[in-house]
Structures are given as C-alpha cells and as structure tokens.
Amino acid sequence: KLLLNAHILPVTRSLLKIDLSITPDFEYDSQVHEPSMLFWIIVEDVDGEKILHHEPFTLNSSRMVHGTDGKSATALANDETIVNFTVPIHDPLPT
C-alpha cells in the first residue's frame, strides 16, 4: 500500500498545480516483489467520467532499507517522493 497526500493549488481558473507525496507503507520481500514496482497515478474528474491526468510511478528497491538477512526489506516510512504535475479543469456549462 502507498500513502498519498495531495496539495492542490489553483494556478489559473482552468489549471490546478498538484504536489502529490507518495510514501511506501509495506514490507518489501525480494522473493515476492520485483526490484522495481510500477504504479499509476490517475486523476479523474469529480464524476469519475474523465481522466484528467495519468502517469506511471516506479518504486525501486534501492529506495528501501534491506533487512539483515539480505532477503527482506521495509520501505522507509519517511521515505517520501514528491510528484508535481498540473491538471486542466473546465468550468461546467450553465444549464
């Protein structure tokens, strides 16, 4: 599981700047997990009908602390990655 925290800042009326912090919250085991794990960052509109932004996020085992047995590792609880991106938004049409 990944812990996510988003800081959203309006840049203009139709553009949002998003700073997404991603923190791993699981035990890494090299016998189960690959050396790198791919996740997708997906931002949808409020209705979940349109994808406003998507990009891959790769978590590498080098970002994790290996256990003394050399096989297991624990993702650092404070090893946070910040991903910055902008998302266009559209004003709804008046009805």
Side-chain angles (χ1 to χ4, degrees), residues 48-89:
E49 295 176 353
K50 290 185 180 180
I51 295 176
L52 304 175
H53 177 83
H54 67 281
E55 69 179 88
F57 171 73
T58 304
L59 181 64
N60 295 317
S61 63
S62 62
R63 296 184 62 89
M64 301 177 190
V65 177
H66 292 275
T68 55
D69 61 0
K71 296 180 182 175
S72 63
T74 302
L76 293 172
N78 59 358
D79 190 18
E80 168 180 81
T81 301
I82 305 291
V83 178
N84 304 303
F85 53 91
T86 56
V87 174
I89 55 173

Side-chain angles (χ1 to χ4, degrees), residues 10-90:
V11 177
T12 66
R13 185 178 174 140
S14 62
L15 188 67
L16 297 176
K17 179 180 184 285
I18 300 176
D19 299 324
L20 181 66
S21 68
I22 304 171
T23 307
D25 185 30
F26 60 90
E27 290 188 24
Y28 175 82
D29 184 347
S30 61
Q31 293 181 347
V32 176
H33 299 103
E34 298 290 328
S36 63
M37 292 173 271
L38 178 67
F39 298 90
W40 280 93
I41 299 169
I42 300 174
V43 179
E44 298 177 334
D45 68 354
V46 68
D47 298 322
E49 295 176 353
K50 290 185 180 180
I51 295 176
L52 304 175
H53 177 83
H54 67 281
E55 69 179 88
F57 171 73
T58 304
L59 181 64
N60 295 317
S61 63
S62 62
R63 296 184 62 89
M64 301 177 190
V65 177
H66 292 275
T68 55
D69 61 0
K71 296 180 182 175
S72 63
T74 302
L76 293 172
N78 59 358
D79 190 18
E80 168 180 81
T81 301
I82 305 291
V83 178
N84 304 303
F85 53 91
T86 56
V87 174
I89 55 173
H90 304 286

